[in-house]
Amino acid sequence: MKFKMTSLALLVSLSVTAAETSIEEYIGKVANIYIGKSETVKVGIVAEEDKYLECQEGNWPLSFQLGQVYSDSWLDLVSTVNRTQETVRIGYAPDSESSCDIEYLALVQGDGISGVDPDDGSASLLRTGDYGNIALIGTNGLTESSYSVSDFYNNDVGAAAFDGFTYREQINDEEGVEKLGRGFWMVKKEVNTDHDPDFVEPEYWLQVDFDGLVKITGFRVVLNDQSRQLGRGPEKVVLQVSSDGETFVDHESYLLSQVSDQIATLNTAVTARIARLKVLTNHGDTYIEIDEFELFSDL
């Protein structure tokens, strides 16, 4: 059961009447926010075929100005719904030649991933290993089908990064765990050897689906020392989360060192059904490798 926002309907609007200007309303989710050197905050939305906006095409169809009495409240609200993927109502003045001015914001239901009540199941999660891992295969209802990846090399499937083993050793002594394959996930990076100007490097990620909402407070990335020296470990990463398996939100970004074992504590805990680690860069090798990926849920 999810918490609703403190107020049933949070409404922040300008003193504009329908007689003064034509107002349309978008009901959906915020995809991204852009703040440049100007006083304009640009807002992107999750595109849906049945939710056409009468604004210019592009990533930032809606906007509002900073420096107004309502600006701080609006910025706080759009930042929150962008992170939590709450459904928001946005009133805007249609303008097919430029971005549309936002006239009001309203949040009427808590359907995102930001908060759940104590019945979300986090309190009853089994925590294993030295740091309280909740993502170990065979625990908390997780099976091989609970893990997925963008791609994998040979037989180095994603579930192998959740089996409690690295390539050379067992790092989680939970009873009943068995090594999968070589004990790690690995994927070969695609390289634009032909210098194709249209080449787009694919995304590289691995994820775990808990099939229910859990609170996530940190993660751990482990690599065997040989692969670390080869530069296969992740460097720039983004922790993404989802409540439905379709819409993923960038929660926090990290720059990982070239070491074999490192832990990251989230600046802001997040509640989600799926946690995905997206690897933007590694430390130079043509392969990306993660021997073990652990997730934590502090009470």
Side-chain angles (χ1 to χ4, degrees), residues 93-110:
D95 188 339
S96 60
E97 296 182 358
S98 65
S99 62
C100 293
D101 291 334
I102 295 176
E103 303 295 337
Y104 66 80
L105 299 169
L107 188 62
V108 297
Q109 62 182 16

Side-chain angles (χ1 to χ4, degrees), residues 6 50 71 83 87 89 92 99 141 153 161 167 179 190 231 247 251 254 261 292:
T6 303
D50 60 342
S71 300
R83 177 175 60 83
T87 296
R89 290 166 47 199
Y92 65 93
S99 62
Y153 174 76
Y167 177 53
K179 188 175 183 178
E190 292 190 22
T247 301
H251 181 64
Y254 299 86
D261 191 345
E292 199 69 9

